[in-house]
Amino acid sequence: MKKRLVSLALICVMVAALFTGCGKKSSSNDVTMGFCTWTGYAPMFIAQENGYFKDAGINMTIQVIEDESTYTSLITKGSVQFIATAQDPNIKMFANGADSRYLFTMDTSNGADALVCTSDIQSLDDLAGKTLALDKSASSYYFFLTALEKDSSLTEDDIDVLDMGDTTEAGLAFMAGNVDAAIMWEPELSEAIDSVDGAHALITSADYPNTIMDSLVVNTKYAKENPEVVDAVTEAWYKAIDFMKENPDKAYELMASGFEEVTAEDIAADSEKLEFYGREENAELLSSGSIKKISQDMADFWMNKGECDTNDLTAFFELAK
């Protein structure tokens, strides 16, 4: 359940955000966080609605910004202090000059993303010469390329890959019979399997753990000048995850409240295929070194593809604790 529909009003909000420094100077506790419509980020609405930010003295504004191509500019300018998105796009942003630092991991996809194919495609090698729709800006692109390299004899060049620029459009193209396969997520994932004769999920993110993870990053200058706010935002997330584990039905209602055209049922369905990371899970990721290993694999992968200027992530993790 991800949506990438950008309204004119949203564009105006984004433009205004870029020029907030031209008006009245805001308090360091006036904080803006941005992310797209995705269940993995939605516990932030629990923190908002339950007053976790307010209790910490933070005036938090959450902007749902569907156009992820703006994230590098927003986080670097500091007009949005916190950005939540997938780990490998966060790494690419940092590696290509974004003034951002990793804070914690929010969730990992455990089957929420899939490669859906027609009945004649029963292996990755069967994709040779077939038409595949996907969104190259999405985190599932890394999942797909990882699968190709590990478990097929193909490269991307052996497949007629159509970059739709939108995962929803990729799913719709498959359901319309315009392509042989597509990378998609909910609700198109279930709709495609139910509505297209012979459609099936050839592989899912559950088959390739840790290829699709979400994380929160912060503007570097802001974080170093306001460490207490950064700590409070982190603590608010952990409290929200605890609340969700203890009160799932109420949590799903709160999580849906921040998005348009999203129900608690949508959130509940997505959550079945996600693993949320709270305090203990993040502590384990850091103490074991696994988050740095996972991230280094991503950086090395994109460096080899020519899409990163560096694969040195030392500074990226300097605030993680």
Side-chain angles (χ1 to χ4, degrees), residues 77-312:
K77 289 178 180 291
S79 48
V80 171
Q81 289 79 38
F82 296 87
I83 286 284
T85 190
Q87 182 72 338
D88 71 290
N90 266 330
I91 288 169
K92 284 196 281 187
M93 282 198 302
F94 166 81
N96 294 324
D99 193 15
S100 59
R101 296 293 186 268
Y102 167 93
L103 291 180
F104 56 81
T105 297
M106 306 173 85
D107 68 275
T108 186
S109 176
N110 189 26
D113 301 73
L115 168 61
V116 178
C117 305
T118 52
S119 59
D120 58 317
I121 300 173
Q122 294 295 320
S123 71
L124 288 170
D125 281 347
D126 289 342
L127 288 169
K130 301 292 187 179
T131 303
L132 166 68
L134 53 74
D135 174 9
K136 288 190 174 183
S137 70
S139 55
S140 49
Y141 182 43
Y142 173 71
F143 146 70
F144 171 64
L145 293 181
T146 299
L148 273 191
E149 290 200 358
K150 286 187 175 182
D151 294 318
S152 84
S153 62
L154 306 180
T155 69
E156 187 177 356
D157 292 338
D158 297 315
I159 305 166
D160 182 11
V161 175
L162 300 181
D163 183 4
M164 306 298 288
D166 185 289
T167 299
T168 295
E169 290 181 10
L172 294 175
F174 178 82
M175 285 185 275
N178 297 329
V179 296
D180 303 301
I183 299 289
M184 61 183 84
W185 45 57
E186 300 294 356
E188 290 79 24
L189 175 54
S190 294
E191 291 174 7
I193 292 174
D194 290 341
S195 64
V196 178
D197 187 32
H200 61 110
L202 182 64
I203 57 171
T204 77
S205 52
D207 300 315
Y208 298 90
N210 302 322
T211 53
I212 303 178
M213 307 177 77
D214 294 313
S215 61
L216 188 72
V217 297
V218 63
N219 170 270
T220 309
K221 183 174 184 292
Y222 179 85
K224 292 182 176 180
E225 292 178 352
N226 303 279
E228 72 289 346
V229 175
V230 173
D231 288 345
V233 169
T234 302
E235 184 64 23
W237 171 264
Y238 292 156
K239 289 175 69 175
I241 297 302
D242 288 341
F243 181 89
M244 182 175 62
K245 292 176 180 178
E246 295 169 4
N247 309 278
D249 291 341
K250 180 59 177 177
Y252 298 151
E253 292 178 6
L254 295 176
M255 292 162 72
S257 69
F259 296 131
E260 295 183 2
E261 300 180 6
V262 174
T263 67
E265 290 74 20
D266 294 329
I267 297 290
D270 280 350
S271 296
E272 291 180 1
K273 297 179 180 179
L274 292 174
E275 180 181 354
F276 289 93
Y277 284 59
R279 188 190 313 276
E280 292 181 2
E281 293 84 358
N282 271 279
E284 172 62 22
L285 281 176
L286 282 173
S287 64
S288 67
S290 60
I291 186 59
K292 293 185 178 180
K293 172 63 169 61
I294 291 165
S295 300
Q296 192 63 57
D297 288 344
M298 292 177 175
D300 293 345
F301 182 91
W302 290 119
M303 186 81 170
N304 290 335
K305 295 283 184 183
E307 295 195 26
C308 281
D309 292 338
T310 180
N311 60 351
D312 184 352

